[in-house]
Amino acid sequence: IIGALAILLAGFSCSEDKEVKPYTYSKIFTGETEKTWVIEQVFESKIGEEDVSIDLFQCELDDTYTFRADEEKSYVIQNGASKCPVPEGEEPEPDIWLEHNWTFVNGGAAMTIAIPRIFGFFLVPFIVRDATKDRMTLVVFADVEGTTSYKVVMRSVSEK
């Protein structure tokens, strides 16, 4: 009996160390350290109707959205190489539109960011409809009923 007990206890004392790996879905947005995206297309969607493409100027399409994998989940929106014309007497467009923090909640696939050219400087709670290493689609509903939404398709242009 003592021998069987010793063998049983030896079996419990031998265990392999388990390495805990954090969930890394957000690395799709950030890469290892940072990842830069541009807006490729924007659509307005209404239930029962075809999506309508919202035309953006080249000076809006070349703005970059860089998501960082730092502890703060920071991101920066930079004005692209082509600047949009401004009325005479107004300040030229800034090189950096916004520096802020982004959030992602996996349970609802919700990403909160600002997209100044389309939604102003408001933080918008998007649903991540689809995300791969080189393309993501964000959706936000424009009404309480959920009948109208805006879909923003972004393309990855660099990764570090």
Side-chain angles (χ1 to χ4, degrees):
I1 294 184
I2 295 177
L5 186 58
I7 292 172
L8 184 62
L9 290 175
F12 284 118
S13 65
C14 295
S15 64
E16 71 183 74
D17 291 334
K18 302 276 185 197
E19 182 182 341
V20 178
K21 294 183 181 178
Y23 189 64
T24 56
Y25 187 75
S26 61
K27 292 215 185 248
I28 290 174
F29 313 126
T30 65
E32 285 303 313
T33 57
E34 69 178 38
K35 193 170 192 176
T36 302
W37 301 79
V38 295
I39 293 176
E40 194 170 71
Q41 295 175 300
V42 178
F43 298 96
E44 179 184 43
S45 299
K46 292 185 180 188
I47 291 181
E49 297 180 21
E50 298 231 359
D51 288 356
V52 176
S53 179
I54 297 174
D55 293 329
L56 297 176
F57 296 106
Q58 180 56 40
C59 60
E60 297 169 316
L61 291 170
D62 70 352
D63 291 353
T64 60
Y65 298 75
T66 301
F67 295 88
R68 297 189 179 117
D70 55 12
E71 205 171 297
E72 297 81 24
K73 290 187 174 176
S74 62
Y75 76 103
V76 62
I77 303 170
Q78 293 183 292
N79 205 340
S82 13
K83 307 288 189 230
C84 292
V86 294
E88 193 172 320
E90 287 192 20
E91 294 287 320
E93 291 186 332
D95 290 333
I96 295 177
W97 281 108
L98 180 69
E99 290 182 271
H100 207 277
N101 304 93
W102 60 278
T103 63
F104 178 73
V105 178
N106 188 46
M111 175 184 268
T112 303
I113 60 171
I115 300 183
R117 297 277 196 185
I118 303 167
F119 302 105
F121 287 94
F122 300 101
L123 293 175
V124 178
F126 290 97
I127 296 168
V128 180
R129 176 68 48 90
D130 184 38
T132 63
K133 66 181 181 112
D134 58 355
R135 182 166 269 106
M136 73 172 146
T137 302
L138 308 175
V139 175
V140 63
F141 288 94
D143 59 1
V144 176
E145 297 80 22
T147 60
T148 303
S149 63
Y150 291 94
K151 185 174 11 177
V152 179
V153 180
M154 300 181 85
R155 176 176 45 88
S156 172
V157 292
S158 71
E159 183 176 345
K160 294 180 183 177

